[in-house]
Amino acid sequence: MSTGPAAPVDVYADGACRGNPGPGGWGALLVWQGHERELWGGEPLTTNNRMELTAVIRALEALKRPVPVRVHTDSKYVQQGMTTWVHGWKRNGWQTADKSPVKNAELWQALDALAARYTIEWLWVKGHAGHPGNERADALANRGTDEIVRGGVGAP
């Protein structure tokens, strides 16, 4: 008897930064069939965009098998980057249309390689609008930032 397609993992990812650049954090909430896993961490000197990318990278790294994934992000930078811009960047040798290097190329490359392992639906959600998964990811990103500011080590 077939069990049908695998249920998707919902990933809620967010980044935070106090100053840009400044101390920052990332957070991700993974939800699958009633099970939840929280991830967070931070860096002492980073940018908001780097933390947004890192949140999704760490979430995909945490997956144990190739399941469908729905990434919920309030970052149009991440959502549009993965659905539109990355294809041109790869064609252009990780340069933008005006031939300048893609910012955060090493993170985009890591995310692109991880994303190739999964069937991913990239969903943009309005940030700070009461979306429960996004609010939790935001709280985790701020936790990562707080730990860095206090001199903590970050992710569990």
Side-chain angles (χ1 to χ4, degrees), residues 53 73 75-90 94 102-103 108-109 111-112 115 122 124:
L53 288 164
T73 177
S75 169
K76 289 199 175 203
Y77 178 68
V78 171
Q79 192 265 340
Q80 291 179 346
M82 288 306 293
T83 59
T84 304
W85 308 331
V86 73
H87 311 293
W89 293 338
K90 291 192 312 188
W94 293 97
V102 170
K103 289 182 181 172
W108 284 113
Q109 290 165 354
L111 181 53
D112 183 55
W122 298 93
W124 180 79

Side-chain angles (χ1 to χ4, degrees), residues 112-126:
D112 183 55
L114 282 164
R117 300 179 191 171
Y118 304 96
T119 300
I120 300 179
E121 186 178 359
W122 298 93
L123 304 167
W124 180 79
V125 297
K126 184 173 175 64

